[in-house]
Coordinates of all heavy atoms in Angstrom, one line a residue:
I1 N 25.9 63.1 0.9 CA 25.9 63.2 2.4 C 26.7 64.3 2.9 O 26.5 65.0 3.9 CB 26.2 61.9 3.1 CG1 25.9 61.9 4.5 CG2 27.7 61.6 2.9 CD1 24.5 62.0 4.8
G2 N 27.9 64.6 2.1 CA 28.8 65.7 2.5 C 28.2 67.1 2.4 O 28.8 68.0 2.9
K3 N 27.0 67.3 1.8 CA 26.4 68.6 1.7 C 25.7 69.0 2.9 O 25.3 70.1 3.1 CB 25.5 68.6 0.5 CG 26.2 68.5 -0.9 CD 25.2 68.7 -2.0 CE 25.9 68.6 -3.3 NZ 26.8 69.8 -3.6
N4 N 25.5 68.0 3.9 CA 24.8 68.4 5.1 C 25.7 69.3 5.9 O 26.9 69.1 6.0 CB 24.5 67.1 5.9 CG 23.4 66.3 5.3 OD1 22.7 66.8 4.4 ND2 23.4 65.0 5.6
K5 N 25.1 70.3 6.5 CA 25.9 71.3 7.3 C 26.1 70.7 8.7 O 25.2 70.4 9.4 CB 25.2 72.6 7.3 CG 25.3 73.3 6.0 CD 24.7 74.7 6.1 CE 24.8 75.5 4.8 NZ 24.2 76.8 4.9
F6 N 27.4 70.7 9.1 CA 27.7 70.3 10.5 C 29.0 70.9 10.9 O 30.0 70.8 10.1 CB 27.7 68.8 10.6 CG 27.9 68.3 12.0 CD1 26.9 68.5 13.0 CD2 29.0 67.6 12.3 CE1 27.1 68.1 14.3 CE2 29.2 67.1 13.6 CZ 28.2 67.4 14.6
D7 N 29.1 71.6 12.0 CA 30.3 72.3 12.3 C 31.2 71.7 13.4 O 32.2 72.3 13.8 CB 29.9 73.7 12.8 CG 29.2 74.5 11.7 OD1 29.6 74.3 10.5 OD2 28.4 75.3 12.0
I8 N 30.9 70.5 13.8 CA 31.7 69.9 14.9 C 32.9 69.1 14.3 O 32.7 68.1 13.6 CB 30.9 68.9 15.7 CG1 29.7 69.7 16.4 CG2 31.7 68.2 16.8 CD1 28.8 68.8 17.2
W9 N 34.1 69.6 14.5 CA 35.3 69.0 14.1 C 35.4 68.7 12.6 O 35.0 67.6 12.2 CB 35.6 67.7 14.9 CG 35.9 68.0 16.4 CD1 35.7 69.2 17.0 CD2 36.4 67.1 17.3 NE1 36.0 69.1 18.3 CE2 36.5 67.8 18.6 CE3 36.7 65.7 17.3 CZ2 36.9 67.2 19.7 CZ3 37.2 65.2 18.5 CH2 37.3 65.9 19.6
D10 N 35.9 69.6 11.9 CA 36.0 69.4 10.4 C 36.9 68.2 10.1 O 36.7 67.5 9.1 CB 36.7 70.6 9.8 CG 35.8 71.8 9.8 OD1 34.6 71.5 9.8 OD2 36.2 72.9 9.7
L11 N 37.8 67.8 11.0 CA 38.6 66.6 10.8 C 37.7 65.4 10.6 O 38.0 64.5 9.8 CB 39.6 66.4 12.0 CG 40.4 65.2 11.9 CD1 41.4 65.2 10.8 CD2 41.2 65.0 13.2
Y12 N 36.7 65.3 11.5 CA 35.8 64.1 11.4 C 34.9 64.3 10.1 O 34.7 63.3 9.4 CB 34.9 64.1 12.6 CG 35.5 63.4 13.8 CD1 36.9 63.3 13.9 CD2 34.7 62.7 14.7 CE1 37.4 62.7 15.0 CE2 35.3 62.1 15.8 CZ 36.6 62.0 15.9 OH 37.2 61.4 17.0
K13 N 34.5 65.5 9.7 CA 33.6 65.6 8.6 C 34.4 65.1 7.3 O 33.8 64.4 6.5 CB 33.3 67.1 8.4 CG 32.1 67.6 9.3 CD 31.9 69.0 9.2 CE 31.5 69.4 7.7 NZ 31.1 70.8 7.6
H14 N 35.6 65.6 7.2 CA 36.4 65.2 6.0 C 36.7 63.8 5.9 O 36.7 63.2 4.9 CB 37.7 66.1 5.9 CG 37.4 67.5 5.8 ND1 36.5 68.1 4.9 CD2 38.0 68.6 6.4 CE1 36.5 69.4 5.0 NE2 37.4 69.7 5.9
S15 N 36.8 63.2 7.1 CA 37.1 61.7 7.1 C 36.0 60.9 6.7 O 36.1 59.7 6.4 CB 37.6 61.3 8.5 OG 36.6 61.5 9.5
F16 N 34.7 61.4 6.8 CA 33.5 60.6 6.5 C 33.0 60.9 5.1 O 32.0 60.3 4.6 CB 32.4 60.9 7.5 CG 32.7 60.4 8.9 CD1 32.4 61.2 10.0 CD2 33.4 59.2 9.0 CE1 32.7 60.7 11.2 CE2 33.7 58.8 10.3 CZ 33.3 59.5 11.4
E17 N 33.6 61.8 4.3 CA 33.0 62.2 3.0 C 33.1 61.0 2.0 O 32.3 61.0 1.1 CB 33.8 63.4 2.5 CG 33.4 64.7 3.2 CD 34.1 65.9 2.7 OE1 34.9 65.7 1.8 OE2 33.8 67.0 3.1
D18 N 34.0 60.2 2.2 CA 34.2 59.0 1.2 C 33.8 57.7 1.8 O 34.3 56.6 1.4 CB 35.6 59.0 0.7 CG 36.6 58.8 1.8 OD1 36.2 59.0 3.0 OD2 37.8 58.5 1.5
K19 N 33.0 57.7 2.9 CA 32.7 56.5 3.6 C 31.4 55.8 3.1 O 31.0 54.8 3.6 CB 32.5 56.7 5.1 CG 33.8 57.2 5.8 CD 34.9 56.2 5.6 CE 36.2 56.6 6.4 NZ 37.3 55.6 6.2
N20 N 30.7 56.5 2.1 CA 29.5 55.9 1.5 C 28.4 55.6 2.5 O 28.0 54.4 2.7 CB 29.8 54.6 0.7 CG 30.8 54.9 -0.5 OD1 30.6 56.0 -1.1 ND2 31.7 54.0 -0.7
L21 N 28.0 56.6 3.3 CA 27.0 56.4 4.3 C 25.6 56.6 3.7 O 24.7 57.1 4.4 CB 27.2 57.3 5.5 CG 28.6 57.1 6.3 CD1 28.7 58.1 7.4 CD2 28.7 55.7 6.8
E22 N 25.4 56.3 2.5 CA 24.1 56.3 1.8 C 24.1 55.3 0.7 O 25.2 54.9 0.2 CB 23.9 57.7 1.2 CG 24.9 58.1 0.1 CD 24.5 59.4 -0.6 OE1 23.6 60.0 -0.2 OE2 25.2 59.7 -1.6
K23 N 22.9 54.8 0.4 CA 22.7 53.8 -0.6 C 21.5 54.2 -1.5 O 20.5 54.6 -1.0 CB 22.6 52.4 -0.1 CG 23.8 51.8 0.5 CD 23.7 50.4 0.8 CE 25.0 49.8 1.2 NZ 24.9 48.3 1.5
I24 N 21.7 54.1 -2.8 CA 20.6 54.4 -3.8 C 20.4 53.2 -4.6 O 21.3 52.7 -5.3 CB 20.9 55.6 -4.6 CG1 21.2 56.9 -3.8 CG2 19.8 55.9 -5.6 CD1 21.6 58.1 -4.5
T25 N 19.2 52.6 -4.6 CA 18.9 51.4 -5.3 C 17.7 51.6 -6.2 O 16.8 52.4 -5.9 CB 18.7 50.2 -4.4 OG1 17.6 50.6 -3.5 CG2 19.9 49.9 -3.6
G26 N 17.7 50.9 -7.3 CA 16.5 51.0 -8.2 C 15.5 49.9 -7.9 O 15.9 48.8 -7.7
L27 N 14.2 50.3 -8.0 CA 13.1 49.4 -7.7 C 12.2 49.3 -9.0 O 11.9 50.4 -9.6 CB 12.3 49.8 -6.5 CG 13.2 49.9 -5.2 CD1 12.2 50.4 -4.1 CD2 13.8 48.6 -4.8
T28 N 11.7 48.2 -9.2 CA 10.6 48.0 -10.3 C 9.4 47.5 -9.6 O 9.3 46.3 -9.1 CB 11.1 47.1 -11.4 OG1 12.3 47.6 -12.0 CG2 10.0 47.0 -12.5
I29 N 8.3 48.3 -9.5 CA 7.1 48.0 -8.9 C 5.9 48.2 -9.9 O 5.8 49.3 -10.3 CB 6.9 48.8 -7.6 CG1 8.1 48.6 -6.7 CG2 5.6 48.3 -6.9 CD1 8.1 49.5 -5.5
N30 N 5.2 47.1 -10.1 CA 4.1 47.2 -11.1 C 4.6 47.8 -12.4 O 3.9 48.7 -13.0 CB 2.9 48.1 -10.5 CG 2.2 47.4 -9.4 OD1 2.2 46.2 -9.3 ND2 1.7 48.2 -8.4
N31 N 5.7 47.3 -12.8 CA 6.3 47.7 -14.1 C 6.7 49.2 -14.1 O 6.8 49.8 -15.2 CB 5.4 47.4 -15.3 CG 5.2 45.9 -15.4 OD1 6.1 45.1 -15.2 ND2 3.9 45.5 -15.7
K32 N 6.8 49.8 -13.0 CA 7.2 51.2 -12.9 C 8.6 51.3 -12.2 O 8.9 50.6 -11.2 CB 6.2 52.1 -12.1 CG 4.9 52.2 -12.8 CD 3.9 53.1 -12.0 CE 2.6 53.3 -12.8 NZ 1.7 54.1 -12.0
K33 N 9.4 52.2 -12.6 CA 10.8 52.4 -12.1 C 10.8 53.4 -11.0 O 10.2 54.5 -11.1 CB 11.7 52.9 -13.2 CG 13.2 52.9 -12.9 CD 13.7 51.5 -12.7 CE 15.2 51.5 -12.5 NZ 15.8 50.2 -12.3
Y34 N 11.4 53.0 -9.9 CA 11.5 53.9 -8.7 C 13.0 53.9 -8.2 O 13.8 53.0 -8.5 CB 10.6 53.5 -7.5 CG 9.2 53.6 -7.8 CD1 8.4 52.6 -8.4 CD2 8.5 54.8 -7.5 CE1 7.1 52.7 -8.6 CE2 7.1 54.9 -7.8 CZ 6.4 53.9 -8.3 OH 5.1 54.0 -8.6
Y35 N 13.4 55.0 -7.5 CA 14.7 55.0 -6.8 C 14.5 55.2 -5.3 O 13.8 56.1 -4.9 CB 15.5 56.2 -7.4 CG 15.8 56.1 -8.9 CD1 15.1 56.7 -9.8 CD2 16.9 55.3 -9.3 CE1 15.4 56.6 -11.2 CE2 17.2 55.1 -10.6 CZ 16.4 55.8 -11.6 OH 16.7 55.6 -12.9
L36 N 15.2 54.4 -4.6 CA 15.1 54.5 -3.1 C 16.5 54.9 -2.6 O 17.5 54.2 -2.8 CB 14.7 53.1 -2.5 CG 14.7 53.1 -1.0 CD1 13.6 54.0 -0.4 CD2 14.4 51.6 -0.5
E37 N 16.5 56.0 -1.8 CA 17.8 56.4 -1.2 C 17.6 56.3 0.3 O 16.7 56.8 0.9 CB 18.1 57.9 -1.6 CG 19.4 58.4 -0.9 CD 19.3 59.8 -0.5 OE1 18.3 60.2 0.3 OE2 20.2 60.6 -0.8
V38 N 18.5 55.5 0.9 CA 18.6 55.4 2.4 C 19.9 56.0 2.8 O 20.9 55.7 2.2 CB 18.4 54.0 2.8 CG1 17.0 53.5 2.6 CG2 19.4 53.0 2.2

């Protein structure tokens, strides 16, 4: 998420880099492996 470009207040950007505002989970559908990133 930290790779997104945003120039408003670097103080806020750096404070959110380790907040885990994304989740990646593995799915098995019809015996096939998928990855879902929200």
Side-chain angles (χ1 to χ4, degrees):
I1 191 68
K3 291 184 179 293
N4 293 339
K5 290 186 178 180
F6 185 65
D7 295 329
I8 300 178
W9 292 13
D10 288 339
L11 176 64
Y12 274 28
K13 281 177 59 176
H14 295 316
S15 66
F16 293 139
E17 287 181 354
D18 59 348
K19 297 300 183 181
N20 297 321
L21 297 180
E22 63 174 3
K23 285 191 176 181
I24 302 174
T25 56
L27 303 177
T28 302
I29 306 172
N30 293 332
N31 296 321
K32 292 182 180 180
K33 188 70 175 179
Y34 292 92
Y35 296 96
L36 177 64
E37 180 216 53
V38 292

